[in-house]
Amino acid sequence: MSPENQKKYDEKEQRVKDAIALKEPDRVPVTPPAELFPIFNAGFTVAEVVYDTTLEKSRTAAIKYLNDFDPDSGTGVGMVNAGEGPAMEITRPKNMRWAGMPGNVIDDNSLQQFIEYPLLLDDEFEEFFSDRTGWTIGKSLPRNYAIYEPFEKFREYLGGMGGVRRMASLFSSPEFRSMISDLWAVDEFYKSYQDRVDAINQEIHDMGYPVYMGGGAGVPYDGYSDFLRGSILTMEDLYERPQDIERYIDEALERSLEMIARSKGINEGKHFFMALHKGFDGFLSGEHYRKYYWSHLQKIILAIIDSGHVPYIYTEGKYDSRIDCLTEVPPGKVFYHFEEVDMAVAKKKLGGIACISGGFPSAMLDWSTPDKVRDAVKKLMDDCAPGGGYIFETSCGLGKCKRENVEAMFETAREYGAY
């Protein structure tokens, strides 16, 4: 890294650190989640980027975005499955749709789509808790990925006399041979893929842009709802089988805390990303939110802090009724992102406790005008910037925005956000 870029890197990193520590930096940091916008800004389609295994299109898009707008955080391959199209065709996930996939199921410029459905059925709870490995191999994996469908036959007892012979016969069948061959291909794909990702990340680092992500975690309730039962059955379970929810989330919490503890000494000072999927207003009562959601989230936040990292809590949906819970953390250690909340109220309640961000409607960049964008940025700055502890981010990732609106957003946030 050149001395000039090192200086830029240090200034950006310190700016963000100061805001999280509830200090006033030289100006409000500007770190909107770039998501798809760099792809469109560079003239590509999402499908092109998903199927470009060289990652050159993703690299070009990221570098152009950074040079054009100079945010206070770097961006790279990101979470858009850049270059992974061929690998996903091998694994054939059943719960995801992606741009460019066979059959053109979704638009070529769409973000990947998650398809939620229950993996854990009503009559499987005893098996799930008593034989997690057997349930995972024989049921969960085949329900998630078509590549694992041969495991549906992996249910007979394979121990005792003749067990090795039966196992050998099973794994020598054409479908198992094909699965194993495909898994080898996926492994080889991702080994070289990761080398290219690392090279892009290093190039962005050397340009003077910090990348703050250093790990991730999830709320156990979200894991239960997202990946086991689905939203509707989970809501029923709150009343019909609360003991099973509690048993699962207590187990998941223990595993999560152990994982976080092992991260101590690795990427310390970086951010642990947590997306909150099912905790927003109206999805859980206040009582249920505290019992099944916040009580575990709070423990995870404290564990992340103890591990030497920054909890980056990315709330999704409307979160006005949850702010009082979010105040129950150590001051100057937590970074909250809001999609939809009264930011003035959030600042009033969380000021002096936690850094806040978000609240600027990303859709406004798609349909509004530069003047209205400037006014909205200034209003948000007036509500949130005084006293520090604020980072400017959009409500969610940027999409097919009007370039002039993005320019107006960055320019206003930098100029009006000066302390």
PDB file of all heavy atoms in Angstrom, residues 159-175:
ATOM      1  N   GLY A 159     -24.378 -50.763  10.900  1.00  0.00           N
ATOM      2  CA  GLY A 159     -23.382 -51.320  11.800  1.00  0.00           C
ATOM      3  C   GLY A 159     -23.481 -52.845  11.854  1.00  0.00           C
ATOM      4  O   GLY A 159     -24.222 -53.482  11.104  1.00  0.00           O
ATOM      5  N   GLY A 160     -22.703 -53.447  12.749  1.00  0.00           N
ATOM      6  CA  GLY A 160     -22.780 -54.892  12.948  1.00  0.00           C
ATOM      7  C   GLY A 160     -22.206 -55.690  11.787  1.00  0.00           C
ATOM      8  O   GLY A 160     -21.511 -55.171  10.913  1.00  0.00           O
ATOM      9  N   MET A 161     -22.522 -56.985  11.777  1.00  0.00           N
ATOM     10  CA  MET A 161     -22.012 -57.887  10.744  1.00  0.00           C
ATOM     11  C   MET A 161     -22.516 -57.441   9.372  1.00  0.00           C
ATOM     12  O   MET A 161     -23.700 -57.208   9.167  1.00  0.00           O
ATOM     13  CB  MET A 161     -22.473 -59.322  11.024  1.00  0.00           C
ATOM     14  CG  MET A 161     -21.910 -59.899  12.325  1.00  0.00           C
ATOM     15  SD  MET A 161     -20.127 -60.117  12.267  1.00  0.00           S
ATOM     16  CE  MET A 161     -20.031 -61.412  11.026  1.00  0.00           C
ATOM     17  N   GLY A 162     -21.613 -57.317   8.437  1.00  0.00           N
ATOM     18  CA  GLY A 162     -21.987 -56.956   7.080  1.00  0.00           C
ATOM     19  C   GLY A 162     -22.204 -55.477   6.866  1.00  0.00           C
ATOM     20  O   GLY A 162     -22.552 -55.062   5.751  1.00  0.00           O
ATOM     21  N   GLY A 163     -21.989 -54.651   7.922  1.00  0.00           N
ATOM     22  CA  GLY A 163     -22.228 -53.214   7.783  1.00  0.00           C
ATOM     23  C   GLY A 163     -21.318 -52.561   6.769  1.00  0.00           C
ATOM     24  O   GLY A 163     -21.750 -51.732   5.966  1.00  0.00           O
ATOM     25  N   VAL A 164     -20.052 -52.962   6.767  1.00  0.00           N
ATOM     26  CA  VAL A 164     -19.093 -52.377   5.819  1.00  0.00           C
ATOM     27  C   VAL A 164     -19.497 -52.744   4.395  1.00  0.00           C
ATOM     28  O   VAL A 164     -19.451 -51.909   3.472  1.00  0.00           O
ATOM     29  CB  VAL A 164     -17.664 -52.860   6.119  1.00  0.00           C
ATOM     30  CG1 VAL A 164     -16.706 -52.421   5.014  1.00  0.00           C
ATOM     31  CG2 VAL A 164     -17.203 -52.325   7.461  1.00  0.00           C
ATOM     32  N   ARG A 165     -19.929 -54.006   4.211  1.00  0.00           N
ATOM     33  CA  ARG A 165     -20.321 -54.433   2.868  1.00  0.00           C
ATOM     34  C   ARG A 165     -21.524 -53.642   2.372  1.00  0.00           C
ATOM     35  O   ARG A 165     -21.572 -53.211   1.219  1.00  0.00           O
ATOM     36  CB  ARG A 165     -20.626 -55.927   2.889  1.00  0.00           C
ATOM     37  CG  ARG A 165     -21.016 -56.479   1.533  1.00  0.00           C
ATOM     38  CD  ARG A 165     -21.194 -57.989   1.605  1.00  0.00           C
ATOM     39  NE  ARG A 165     -21.615 -58.544   0.332  1.00  0.00           N
ATOM     40  CZ  ARG A 165     -21.834 -59.838   0.101  1.00  0.00           C
ATOM     41  NH1 ARG A 165     -21.641 -60.716   1.095  1.00  0.00           N
ATOM     42  NH2 ARG A 165     -22.235 -60.255  -1.082  1.00  0.00           N
ATOM     43  N   ARG A 166     -22.511 -53.442   3.266  1.00  0.00           N
ATOM     44  CA  ARG A 166     -23.701 -52.677   2.859  1.00  0.00           C
ATOM     45  C   ARG A 166     -23.339 -51.209   2.573  1.00  0.00           C
ATOM     46  O   ARG A 166     -23.852 -50.609   1.639  1.00  0.00           O
ATOM     47  CB  ARG A 166     -24.772 -52.764   3.952  1.00  0.00           C
ATOM     48  CG  ARG A 166     -25.408 -54.148   4.085  1.00  0.00           C
ATOM     49  CD  ARG A 166     -26.690 -54.105   4.905  1.00  0.00           C
ATOM     50  NE  ARG A 166     -26.457 -53.668   6.268  1.00  0.00           N
ATOM     51  CZ  ARG A 166     -26.086 -54.485   7.263  1.00  0.00           C
ATOM     52  NH1 ARG A 166     -25.912 -55.779   7.020  1.00  0.00           N
ATOM     53  NH2 ARG A 166     -25.920 -54.027   8.487  1.00  0.00           N
ATOM     54  N   MET A 167     -22.442 -50.655   3.416  1.00  0.00           N
ATOM     55  CA  MET A 167     -22.005 -49.274   3.194  1.00  0.00           C
ATOM     56  C   MET A 167     -21.268 -49.163   1.865  1.00  0.00           C
ATOM     57  O   MET A 167     -21.487 -48.228   1.086  1.00  0.00           O
ATOM     58  CB  MET A 167     -21.092 -48.835   4.343  1.00  0.00           C
ATOM     59  CG  MET A 167     -20.543 -47.417   4.191  1.00  0.00           C
ATOM     60  SD  MET A 167     -21.734 -46.152   4.657  1.00  0.00           S
ATOM     61  CE  MET A 167     -21.555 -46.186   6.435  1.00  0.00           C
ATOM     62  N   ALA A 168     -20.378 -50.117   1.580  1.00  0.00           N
ATOM     63  CA  ALA A 168     -19.627 -50.091   0.330  1.00  0.00           C
ATOM     64  C   ALA A 168     -20.564 -50.165  -0.872  1.00  0.00           C
ATOM     65  O   ALA A 168     -20.380 -49.467  -1.882  1.00  0.00           O
ATOM     66  CB  ALA A 168     -18.622 -51.240   0.294  1.00  0.00           C
ATOM     67  N   SER A 169     -21.583 -51.040  -0.759  1.00  0.00           N
ATOM     68  CA  SER A 169     -22.544 -51.171  -1.847  1.00  0.00           C
ATOM     69  C   SER A 169     -23.316 -49.874  -2.062  1.00  0.00           C
ATOM     70  O   SER A 169     -23.521 -49.442  -3.202  1.00  0.00           O
ATOM     71  CB  SER A 169     -23.515 -52.311  -1.537  1.00  0.00           C
ATOM     72  OG  SER A 169     -24.532 -52.388  -2.520  1.00  0.00           O
ATOM     73  N   LEU A 170     -23.723 -49.238  -0.945  1.00  0.00           N
ATOM     74  CA  LEU A 170     -24.483 -47.989  -1.033  1.00  0.00           C
ATOM     75  C   LEU A 170     -23.653 -46.897  -1.699  1.00  0.00           C
ATOM     76  O   LEU A 170     -24.116 -46.228  -2.631  1.00  0.00           O
ATOM     77  CB  LEU A 170     -24.933 -47.561   0.365  1.00  0.00           C
ATOM     78  CG  LEU A 170     -25.785 -46.294   0.461  1.00  0.00           C
ATOM     79  CD1 LEU A 170     -27.120 -46.493  -0.239  1.00  0.00           C
ATOM     80  CD2 LEU A 170     -26.016 -45.919   1.927  1.00  0.00           C
ATOM     81  N   PHE A 171     -22.419 -46.723  -1.243  1.00  0.00           N
ATOM     82  CA  PHE A 171     -21.590 -45.649  -1.763  1.00  0.00           C
ATOM     83  C   PHE A 171     -21.040 -45.956  -3.156  1.00  0.00           C
ATOM     84  O   PHE A 171     -20.510 -45.053  -3.817  1.00  0.00           O
ATOM     85  CB  PHE A 171     -20.438 -45.357  -0.798  1.00  0.00           C
ATOM     86  CG  PHE A 171     -20.810 -44.389   0.291  1.00  0.00           C
ATOM     87  CD1 PHE A 171     -21.484 -44.824   1.417  1.00  0.00           C
ATOM     88  CD2 PHE A 171     -20.523 -43.038   0.170  1.00  0.00           C
ATOM     89  CE1 PHE A 171     -21.847 -43.948   2.414  1.00  0.00           C
ATOM     90  CE2 PHE A 171     -20.886 -42.147   1.167  1.00  0.00           C
ATOM     91  CZ  PHE A 171     -21.547 -42.595   2.295  1.00  0.00           C
ATOM     92  N   SER A 172     -21.163 -47.190  -3.606  1.00  0.00           N
ATOM     93  CA  SER A 172     -20.707 -47.532  -4.953  1.00  0.00           C
ATOM     94  C   SER A 172     -21.819 -47.438  -5.985  1.00  0.00           C
ATOM     95  O   SER A 172     -21.571 -47.613  -7.180  1.00  0.00           O
ATOM     96  CB  SER A 172     -20.129 -48.960  -4.965  1.00  0.00           C
ATOM     97  OG  SER A 172     -18.985 -49.032  -4.153  1.00  0.00           O
ATOM     98  N   SER A 173     -23.033 -47.161  -5.535  1.00  0.00           N
ATOM     99  CA  SER A 173     -24.144 -47.031  -6.475  1.00  0.00           C
ATOM    100  C   SER A 173     -23.926 -45.817  -7.377  1.00  0.00           C
ATOM    101  O   SER A 173     -23.209 -44.872  -7.009  1.00  0.00           O
ATOM    102  CB  SER A 173     -25.458 -46.888  -5.722  1.00  0.00           C
ATOM    103  OG  SER A 173     -25.458 -45.674  -4.980  1.00  0.00           O
ATOM    104  N   PRO A 174     -24.518 -45.827  -8.569  1.00  0.00           N
ATOM    105  CA  PRO A 174     -24.290 -44.704  -9.502  1.00  0.00           C
ATOM    106  C   PRO A 174     -24.630 -43.342  -8.919  1.00  0.00           C
ATOM    107  O   PRO A 174     -23.902 -42.364  -9.145  1.00  0.00           O
ATOM    108  CB  PRO A 174     -25.211 -45.052 -10.682  1.00  0.00           C
ATOM    109  CG  PRO A 174     -25.339 -46.535 -10.623  1.00  0.00           C
ATOM    110  CD  PRO A 174     -25.328 -46.889  -9.177  1.00  0.00           C
ATOM    111  N   GLU A 175     -25.729 -43.236  -8.151  1.00  0.00           N
ATOM    112  CA  GLU A 175     -26.113 -41.924  -7.628  1.00  0.00           C
ATOM    113  C   GLU A 175     -25.121 -41.411  -6.574  1.00  0.00           C
ATOM    114  O   GLU A 175     -24.830 -40.210  -6.512  1.00  0.00           O
ATOM    115  CB  GLU A 175     -27.538 -41.949  -7.072  1.00  0.00           C
ATOM    116  CG  GLU A 175     -27.810 -42.963  -5.991  1.00  0.00           C
ATOM    117  CD  GLU A 175     -28.385 -44.257  -6.531  1.00  0.00           C
ATOM    118  OE1 GLU A 175     -27.863 -44.773  -7.545  1.00  0.00           O
ATOM    119  OE2 GLU A 175     -29.366 -44.756  -5.935  1.00  0.00           O
TER     120      GLU A 175
END
